[in-house]
């Protein structure tokens, strides 16, 4: 284990997601220093000040903020949340054009100032932006990846745990593919403790396929439901982002469904999709090829086609 001492995390974007990520990182003691950047100086200064006032309760962590990108110098991890906000009824892919432009401008500047950092894309559509960020930065795919379906998988685990009356920590299930409308649950590999989900007695037998489909659909539409009610998803994605950063800074080798540019994964190359991945101090150390059933293989190919189509429309190859 190569835990990084006095680790520095920089968060790009002081909107709802960026500030929630910084807040989660502070209260979880994710990093020794958290730097918050935004082009809106008044906003980022105020957010950093508000967070700083709470640091007497957060252990050794400290927060800085500013509108000059030099603030990211020395970062071990940079989390990018900057971009246009998803509006009610708007799909993640509809955000692509504006946010690709932001990534195109940001990545070379960030790499220049934090050349040793691992970069995690949280802005949507994160799979498309992971490909763009990797292309524009010139870094290996292992060091530029997206948060992917880490949050979606947490939603799935929570819903299953609630339904089955077990702890979420004992519920092992993942959403894979696109972080978006073509995502799907990897039911063939789901477990409750050591028991395959298909063998778990949910009261009269295992969960029926139609109920599993309903749960997966609720996961897929969860963000839309939250956005419709409060305008943004921020708390859970902030915690998800902090969790990914911890896997990097603590050199955990944690298996998380992050989204990196794939090379021959189930026949898919050149697009970023979420698959079980080993995350450590190097970033994505490797992706794990797990058994998919025939239906899951088809759905994975559909997810790849969705992202590839978006990349082609944007002129990214």
């Amino acid at each position: 284990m190569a835990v990084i001492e006095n680790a520095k995390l920089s968060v790009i974007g002081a909107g709802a997601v960026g500030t929630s990520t910084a807040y989660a990182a502070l209260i979880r003691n994710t990093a020794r220093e958290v730097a918050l950047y935004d082009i809106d100086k008044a906003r980022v200064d105020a957010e950093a000040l508000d967070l700083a006032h709470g640091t007497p309760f957060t252990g050794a962590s400290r927060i800085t903020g500013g509108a000059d990108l030099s603030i990211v110098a020395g970062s071990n991890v940079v989390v990018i949340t900057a971009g246009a906000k998803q509006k009610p009824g708007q799909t993640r892919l509809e955000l692509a054009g504006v946010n690709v432009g932001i990534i195109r401008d940001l990545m070379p500047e960030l790499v220049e100032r934090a050349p040793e950092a691992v970069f995690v894309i949280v802005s949507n559509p994160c799979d498309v932006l992971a490909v763009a960020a990797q292309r524009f930065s010139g870094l290996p795919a292992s060091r530029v990846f997206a948060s992917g379906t880490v949050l979606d998988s947490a939603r799935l685990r929570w819903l299953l745990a609630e339904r089955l009356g077990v702890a979420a920590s004992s519920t092992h299930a993942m959403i894979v593919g696109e972080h978006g409308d073509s995502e799907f649950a990897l039911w063939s590999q789901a477990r409750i403790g050591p028991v395959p989900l298909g063998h778990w007695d949910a009261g009269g037998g295992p969960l029926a396929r139609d109920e599993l489909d309903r749960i997966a659909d609720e996961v897929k539409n969860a963000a839309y439901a939250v956005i419709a009610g409060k305008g943004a998803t921020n708390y859970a994605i902030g915690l998800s982002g902090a969790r990914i950063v911890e896997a990097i800074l603590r050199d955990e080798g944690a298996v998380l469904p992050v989204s990196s540019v794939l090379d021959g994964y189930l026949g898919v190359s050149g697009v970023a999709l979420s698959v079980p991945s080993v995350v450590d101090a190097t970033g994505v150390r490797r992706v794990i090829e797990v058994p998919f059933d025939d239906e899951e293989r088809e759905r994975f190919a559909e997810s790849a086609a969705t992202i590839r189509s978006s990349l082609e429309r944007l002129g990214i190859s």
Side-chain angles (χ1 to χ4, degrees), residues 100-161:
V100 163
I102 292 171
I103 290 293
R104 188 191 307 270
D105 293 338
L106 264 178
M107 286 308 301
E109 299 281 345
L110 291 172
V111 173
E112 180 182 350
R113 291 164 174 79
E116 303 302 318
V118 172
F119 295 86
V120 181
I121 313 297
V122 176
S123 311
N124 277 317
C126 70
D127 305 298
V128 171
L129 297 184
V131 179
Q134 196 262 322
R135 299 289 190 270
F136 300 148
S137 67
L139 295 174
S142 60
R143 284 183 54 200
V144 188
F145 58 93
S147 53
T149 56
V150 172
L151 173 54
D152 310 76
S153 298
R155 290 167 172 154
L156 179 66
R157 292 171 60 207
W158 178 77
L159 283 167
L160 277 174

Side-chain angles (χ1 to χ4, degrees), residues 41-172:
K41 179 171 171 47
R43 170 68 180 268
V44 72
D45 286 350
E47 293 286 7
L49 186 62
D50 192 12
L51 289 165
H53 291 159
T55 55
F57 308 113
T58 64
S61 297
R62 64 187 293 263
I63 178 83
T64 56
D68 187 326
L69 268 181
S70 62
I71 197 171
V72 309
S75 296
N76 303 103
V77 181
V78 177
V79 173
I80 300 173
T81 72
K85 189 170 76 169
Q86 190 173 1
K87 299 174 183 176
Q90 185 180 37
T91 68
R92 296 177 179 96
L93 288 177
E94 288 171 344
L95 293 174
V98 172
N99 288 352
V100 163
I102 292 171
I103 290 293
R104 188 191 307 270
D105 293 338
L106 264 178
M107 286 308 301
E109 299 281 345
L110 291 172
V111 173
E112 180 182 350
R113 291 164 174 79
E116 303 302 318
V118 172
F119 295 86
V120 181
I121 313 297
V122 176
S123 311
N124 277 317
C126 70
D127 305 298
V128 171
L129 297 184
V131 179
Q134 196 262 322
R135 299 289 190 270
F136 300 148
S137 67
L139 295 174
S142 60
R143 284 183 54 200
V144 188
F145 58 93
S147 53
T149 56
V150 172
L151 173 54
D152 310 76
S153 298
R155 290 167 172 154
L156 179 66
R157 292 171 60 207
W158 178 77
L159 283 167
L160 277 174
E162 290 289 299
R163 170 63 180 83
L164 298 175
V166 297
S169 59
S170 298
T171 304
H172 310 294

Side-chain angles (χ1 to χ4, degrees), residues 232-268:
T233 61
N234 59 304
Y235 298 129
I237 186 59
L239 285 163
S240 299
R243 176 68 192 94
I244 296 166
V245 172
E246 287 159 15
I248 299 166
L249 296 180
R250 298 172 187 173
D251 195 27
E252 288 184 9
V255 177
L256 299 169
V258 295
S259 176
S260 60
V261 179
L262 300 176
D263 183 13
Y265 190 96
L266 296 182
V268 172

Side-chain angles (χ1 to χ4, degrees), residues 187-192 195-202 205-208 212:
W187 291 129
S188 67
Q189 302 302 312
R191 301 282 190 277
I192 306 299
V195 181
L197 183 62
H199 295 168
W200 183 269
D201 187 352
L207 293 174
L212 293 176

Side-chain angles (χ1 to χ4, degrees), residues 216-234:
D217 194 61
E218 188 172 343
V219 170
K220 183 175 71 175
N221 293 305
Y224 299 131
V226 174
I227 290 168
K230 58 176 271 190
T233 61
N234 59 304

